[in-house]
Each structure stands twice: as structure tokens, then as C-alpha cells.
Amino acid sequence: MHKESLIQAKGLTKLYGDFAAVKGIDFSVHKGESFGFLGPNGAGKSTTMRIIAATLTRTSGEISILGKDPAERGPEIRAHLGVVPQQDNLDQALTVTDNLYIYGRYFGLSRKFIRAKIEELLDFAQLVEKRDVKVETLSGGMKRRLTIARALISEPEILMLDEPTTGLDPQARHILWDRLFRLKEQGVTLLITTHYMDEAEQLCDRLMVMDKGSIMAEDSPSGLIKKYSTKEVLEVRFGSDKNAEVSPQLSTLCERMEVLPDRILMYADDAELLLEEIRKKGLHPVTSLVRRSSLEDVFLRLTGRSLVE
Amino acid sequence: MITSAAVAIAEARIGRLGESVYSGRARTILERSYLAFRSSAWIVVLTGFLEPVLYLFSFGYGVGKLIGKMEVGPGHFVSYAAFIAPALLATSAMNGAIYDATWNVFFKMKFDRVYQGMLATSLGPLDVALGEISWALLRGMVYAIAFMSIVGGLGLITTPWALLAIPVAVLIAFGFASVGMAVTTYMKSFEQMNIINIVLLPMFLFSGSFYPLTIYPGWLQGFIKALPLWHGITLMRSVSLGLISAALLPHIVYFLAMIAIGLFFTTRRLTKLFMR
């Protein structure tokens, strides 16, 4: 199948003095897909996003967005993009409607076009009743939805979301995910950074796992799990002091094992069976949990540490 | 591929001079300021305007009683109030411009992240700089016009040349707004912002606003003549009293240079802060 590539990066690097925030990464994003950058804080996700958004210049390497170089064609590239930053930067002095209106004006759009678009976006963001309210009175979830609506005023081909649900309560997150799904259905290409594995699993077709400025792996969420983890995971706790003590006895029972301070993660395709074998050995964990493998396990495998610290 | 309206608008500017920093839409920044202003505190705007008016009454009519007439040219005498009114007008234009270009810009930059939002669109940093400075300039102009109408009402305007005071006020406001915003983009804290006030007040009091510079020793005269407000006051006083000559040109050039330098550094600084 032919996939049109919207963004292509080769050897993309960003240095701040001696510190390399992004270390020569290669990736490409296809039209209509939802592409995620997964990694802990400081992995280089936001830096990469800002280079794509033409608000940060790279140190070296190549990048093209719709065939254009952001270092030379900044305003043009930004006209293609909708940007939802990590920290809301809505205009506090303006109402909900005026925030949408003026953003359209910044892109040079006509008043008539914007007026019609505002109605559609207020509806999409479920903010019709808040239209004349100043933004400072909105809840966190509403602000984030408004920021997304604002980013859509110019009908961008690519919507970039930096940590879209950080700081939101579970209900607000689900509303937001639902809105993003709809956009994806409409054919908008989504670029998402997150350090939440559930969000990455929910929203992304393809993921790039990043750590310390480098790409650790790249695949679909299920592909990553298949490649780097087993089907299931058994989590056992023997008590803080005993975990390390019993671990040598357990290591022969499973494919792979991670001994964390509070628990032991054992990787196997049938975790129930594994638990039985442990009991047969005369070992009795204080608690045990059988679960499916997640991206958290992939990350742990790739980097040796947890995603959310 | 279907091209969106926003992209078509951006692509239409390909090949223009400065296309990476300027999109030709500084007016949309002005529009934003107007929308925000509609719901802001009018009282703040009024306070800034009142200051020179109060000076005019207390010094012009109070102290002026003790001073009598001032000689502004060979055999050309005016009342003390008419002598200081142009200086207060120039200061009024400066104040109006400075309020917006410094404190308001500082808040938008540091706390509201307004410029990050603007610069994520197809606008360039020069659009933002020009738009913000123009708004500050407008405020300076409004202050000047309001002050002029009071001065006129008091019968202190004696020549039709005084109408030139309005464009001169715009020039002064533009210069101060431009440099004021440039300086603000380098400020990091409230403490540093206060330096601006510490500079402005003595400049107002000692730039020949209330008495001719000839009172000072030569070295101090030279120093004051290097400051922008002295140029503004001298220019404003000359046109208000109808003393038009080629000697006014250097003052105009001084302000044009302020505008250019301020715009250049503001644009460069916005680029550095938000775009690299």
C-alpha cells in the first residue's frame, strides 16, 4: 500500500550547548495516521515537536514537512499545522469565541470564514454554552478542548498535541480522547507526545519510543508489545526485603524477569501457569497479579526504568 | 491535495522580502489588542492621562504665577503654562506608549504566553512587534490628543502650527514604544522592570520640561541632549510655538532611529525567545 509521507526526518539533532536534547533521529509520519512520541520527561519529545512546528531551529540533520524545510519556510509550515502546546496559552484577556476568532485572524482568514467555523468548532469542543465566557473561568478540560478547537480554526492537515491530557481528571481525558478519535476519522494526521502508556495505546497507530534524545523502538503499540514483551505478566510481591532474596529461584521459571524494589515482574505467555509453578516450588507471594503486557513493560525492557517516575 | 485557505494565504507571500519574519498581518495583533481592551479597566487608562494634566495645573498655574513670562526666542515671550504645556504633551505621548510597550508586554510575555500562541500561527515576529508597538503608539496618540484639547481649551494654543503637535506626538510615541518593547523583551523580573520607571521619572523632570537647559553647566547639557525626551520636548515646543525651521530635522531623525532600532531588536529578541 502506498503511504503518502507528510513528515520526514533524517539525523535530526538539537544541541543546547553540550547537551544533546535530540540525538540524530530518523522517522517519518504518514498522511492520516496517528503518530505518537512516547517517553519520560526530558526524552526529547517536545523538542522534536517544536522543530516540526517551526518554532525551534534544529542544530543539524534534515527535516521536511510536506516537502518544506521549517528553517526556511516557517510561516508556511505553521499554516499547515494546528498546535496544542503542553501548557495552555489561550488568550486570558479574551472570551472563548474571541480566542477562536482572533486565532483565525492571525492566519489571515476572512471574518466570514471564521464566523462560520467558530460555530462548528464550539460544537465540536462542547463549549457552545461557554461561548461568551472569559477563558480564565473554564475548567482544565474545557481549556484543553478550546486549545484544540483553536488549533483547528485554520483547518490544518496535521494536528500536534504535546501531552494533551496531562493534568486532566479521568473523565475529562476520556472526553478529549473521544474528540481526537473523531478528528482522526475525518482524516486529520495526529502527532501526539505522551508519557501515559494507556493514552499511547488508545490513540496511536504507530509509536516511537524515545529516551534521552534517541529512538529506542518504533512500531504499532501491539507490535511493540509483541516484539519486546510476552503476552502476559505476573507481578508478585514477597515483601520489600524478600523480593531480591527469592528472585534467583524464580529466574529459571520464566523468559525474563525484572526485580523492582517493591515487586517482581515475570514475563510469560501464560502467567496463571507460571504462578502455579511458583507455588509448587513452595514459594508463596504475599500478593500476585496476572495482567496483559503493556507499553510500560516495553519501556522497562528497552530502557531499564519505568515510564512515569 | 486540497490546500486550506490558511496555507494559500501563507504561500501567496513566498518570495517577499522578510517572508520568514513578516506576514503582513500586524493589523491582526492590533485587532487582538482592541478585543482585549474592550473589556479592560478604563480607569487604568485614565490614570496615565491625568498625570501631565495635574502637572499643568500645579506648575503651569501655581508656580507660573511666581515666574511670569518666559522668553522662547528673541523678543518672543509666552506664559509659563504655555512654555511647559508642549513638554507635558511630549511626556504624555511617551507615557501612553511606555505603559503598553513595557508592563503590558512583560505580562503577556511572562505569564499569559500570548506571544507563543501568536507565533505558533503563520505570523512572524515582526508582525507581533509592529502590532504591539502600534497599539502602544495609539495609546500615546490618544493621550496626546486628549491633552491637546485641554491645552486648547485653556487658550494656550496661539498658532495653527500647533496642529503639527499631533503627528509629532505620534512620532514620539512610536519611538518610545519601539525602544520600550525592545528593552522589555530583555527583562527577566519585576525588579528589572522597575528600572524603566526609575529612568523615566528623572528624564521627565530634567529634560527641559520646566525650564530651559541653559540653567545647567555645559557637560550636563550635553548629557541631557543625548536623551530622547529632550529631543521630543524640543521638537514639540518648537512646533507648538510655531518656531519651524530646518533645525528640527535632527530631532525627527533621532526618533526615526529609535523606531528602527527598537523594531530590529524586538523582532530579533522575539525570534530568539520563542522561535529557536
Side-chain angles (χ1 to χ4, degrees), chain A residues 50 55-57 68 75-76 78-80 88-89 91 94 98 101-103 105-108 111 134, chain B residues 1 6-7 9 11 14 19 25 28 31-32 36 38-39 113 117-119 121-123 274-276:
Chain A
R50 288 195 53 209
T55 51
L56 190 70
T57 47
K68 296 165 187 174
E76 244 179 285
R78 294 197 296 274
H80 284 285
D88 284 318
N89 59 12
D91 206 321
L94 305 181
D98 282 349
Y101 169 79
I102 201 65
Y103 223 64
R105 296 291 294 156
Y106 293 159
F107 282 100
R111 292 187 174 85
K134 279 235 178 137
Chain B
M1 193 168 68
V7 172
I9 290 163
E11 282 179 346
I14 292 176
E19 60 170 302
R25 289 196 296 279
T28 63
E31 202 177 343
R32 183 259 160 210
R38 278 193 315 190
S39 56
R113 291 186 290 276
M118 290 173 176
L119 292 170
T121 71
S122 50
L123 288 173
F274 304 119
M275 312 194 79
R276 75 181 44 162

Side-chain angles (χ1 to χ4, degrees), chain A residues 112-257:
Chain A
K112 196 177 151 211
F113 175 91
I114 298 169
R115 292 283 173 221
K117 194 80 193 160
I118 283 174
E119 299 310 313
E120 184 190 320
L121 289 172
L122 284 174
D123 194 43
F124 170 80
Q126 295 162 307
L127 289 169
V128 177
E129 275 139 53
K130 299 280 180 186
R131 60 185 308 150
D132 294 322
V133 161
K134 279 235 178 137
V135 296
E136 58 192 358
T137 62
L138 298 180
S139 71
M142 288 174 179
K143 278 184 186 163
R144 206 59 61 88
R145 294 205 302 276
L146 178 59
T147 310
I148 293 173
R150 189 182 70 165
L152 294 170
I153 195 100
S154 56
E155 303 188 323
E157 288 129 291
I158 304 171
L159 183 64
M160 309 186 53
L161 303 123
D162 198 356
E163 306 277 355
T165 64
T166 298
L168 300 188
D169 62 53
Q171 199 197 352
R173 291 182 84 194
H174 282 280
I175 297 175
L176 205 76
W177 285 348
D178 167 63
R179 298 293 110 178
L180 295 177
F181 269 126
R182 283 167 200 241
L183 288 175
K184 198 166 148 348
E185 280 169 5
Q186 291 165 22
V188 178
T189 306
L190 300 179
L191 233 66
I192 301 164
T193 77
T194 183
H195 60 252
Y196 296 122
M197 52 183 179
D198 54 344
E199 184 160 280
E201 281 190 279
Q202 285 267 347
L203 290 178
C204 302
D205 302 321
R206 219 148 51 84
L207 277 175
M208 200 163 89
V209 181
M210 286 186 81
D211 191 35
K212 293 175 184 154
S214 302
I215 300 172
M216 310 302 291
E218 191 199 307
D219 208 331
S220 64
S222 59
L224 283 171
I225 292 168
K226 209 175 274 173
K227 211 182 283 180
Y228 296 101
S229 192
T230 51
K231 220 184 229 165
E232 294 186 335
V233 187
L234 174 65
E235 293 191 8
V236 287
R237 291 167 203 257
F238 290 91
S240 305
D241 315 326
K242 280 188 147 179
N243 284 342
E245 197 182 311
V246 296
S247 62
Q249 287 176 268
L250 300 175
S251 59
T252 52
L253 296 175
C254 59
E255 274 184 41
R256 203 167 58 80
M257 195 170 86

Side-chain angles (χ1 to χ4, degrees), chain A residues 78-91:
Chain A
R78 294 197 296 274
H80 284 285
L81 307 174
V83 179
V84 180
Q86 198 169 340
Q87 278 183 299
D88 284 318
N89 59 12
L90 292 165
D91 206 321

Side-chain angles (χ1 to χ4, degrees), chain B residues 7-145:
Chain B
V7 172
I9 290 163
E11 282 179 346
R13 293 200 63 87
I14 292 176
R16 300 262 191 120
L17 184 67
E19 60 170 302
S20 63
V21 292
Y22 184 58
S23 75
R25 289 196 296 279
R27 65 180 186 283
T28 63
I29 307 288
L30 274 178
E31 202 177 343
R32 183 259 160 210
S33 291
Y34 171 70
L35 289 177
F37 173 72
R38 278 193 315 190
S39 56
S40 71
W42 283 75
I43 187 81
V44 180
V45 179
L46 203 66
T47 324
F49 158 72
L50 271 180
E51 200 181 290
V53 176
L54 296 177
Y55 273 106
L56 180 65
F57 283 105
S58 98
F59 281 77
Y61 293 96
V63 179
K65 271 256 157 48
L66 306 173
I67 290 173
K69 297 276 180 188
M70 297 289 288
E71 188 174 11
V72 292
H76 186 169
F77 289 89
V78 295
S79 72
Y80 185 64
F83 177 77
I84 66 166
L88 294 171
L89 180 58
T91 307
S92 181
M94 173 183 85
N95 282 347
I98 285 285
Y99 283 129
D100 261 303
T102 60
W103 284 101
N104 284 358
V105 163
F106 187 72
F107 275 98
K108 285 187 217 171
M109 211 170 64
K110 294 284 170 197
F111 302 104
D112 292 350
R113 291 186 290 276
V114 171
Y115 300 137
Q116 279 98 322
M118 290 173 176
L119 292 170
T121 71
S122 50
L123 288 173
L126 183 56
D127 294 292
V128 175
L130 257 182
E132 289 292 85
I133 289 165
S134 303
W135 179 256
L137 171 168
L138 278 179
R139 183 156 164 189
M141 190 175 86
V142 168
Y143 279 14
I145 290 173

Side-chain angles (χ1 to χ4, degrees), chain A residues 12 21 35 51 62 80-82 86 113 121 123 159 181 230 240 244 258 261 284 287-288 291 297 300 302:
Chain A
L12 187 66
F35 187 85
I51 293 172
E62 293 302 315
H80 284 285
L81 307 174
Q86 198 169 340
F113 175 91
L121 289 172
D123 194 43
L159 183 64
F181 269 126
T230 51
S240 305
E258 295 280 353
H284 296 282
T287 63
S288 63
R291 62 168 173 84
D297 301 301
L300 196 62
L302 290 170

